[in-house]
Amino acid sequence: MSSCCTPDGSCNTDKATETSTATVVADGHTTVYKVNGVGSAHCQSVVAKAIGGLDNVISVDVEIGTGLVTITTGGAPDDDLIAKTIGEAGYEYAGRA
């Protein structure tokens, strides 16, 4: 869990915002993952920025509270790389949703 969140999963920020980008690609694959510990806008931003920086990632949408992360990639997603990136960002990868 990231340092912005308390042990009970609540977070220290108080403003929720949507973080997403979209691009139309003929070969895009959309996959939904579950990430534990996304309880604030700050957490949402950290996860979106980490995943969005990966090659082949076209768009990322991170839901606060549910931890559902929808990723569109220009080809098949690399689940192992996504899991590693989420872990390095300080969050717990819980697999595909």
Side-chain angles (χ1 to χ4, degrees):
M1 195 173 332
S2 176
S3 63
C4 74
C5 298
T6 62
D8 69 356
S10 64
C11 292
N12 299 324
T13 58
D14 58 359
K15 184 177 179 188
T17 59
E18 290 294 321
T19 301
S20 66
T21 52
T23 304
V24 177
V25 174
D27 224 10
H29 294 273
T30 300
T31 310
V32 180
Y33 298 91
K34 174 75 172 128
V35 177
N36 294 325
V38 181
S40 71
H42 171 77
C43 300
Q44 177 189 46
S45 176
V46 169
V47 171
K49 184 175 180 179
I51 295 170
L54 296 175
D55 289 341
N56 216 23
V57 172
I58 297 164
S59 69
V60 180
D61 181 44
V62 180
E63 293 182 21
I64 297 172
T66 66
L68 294 177
V69 179
T70 304
I71 303 171
T72 302
T73 54
D78 183 341
D79 291 348
D80 291 336
L81 179 59
I82 291 169
K84 179 181 174 187
T85 301
I86 290 168
E88 288 174 352
Y91 296 87
E92 180 185 353
Y93 173 80
R96 288 190 181 205

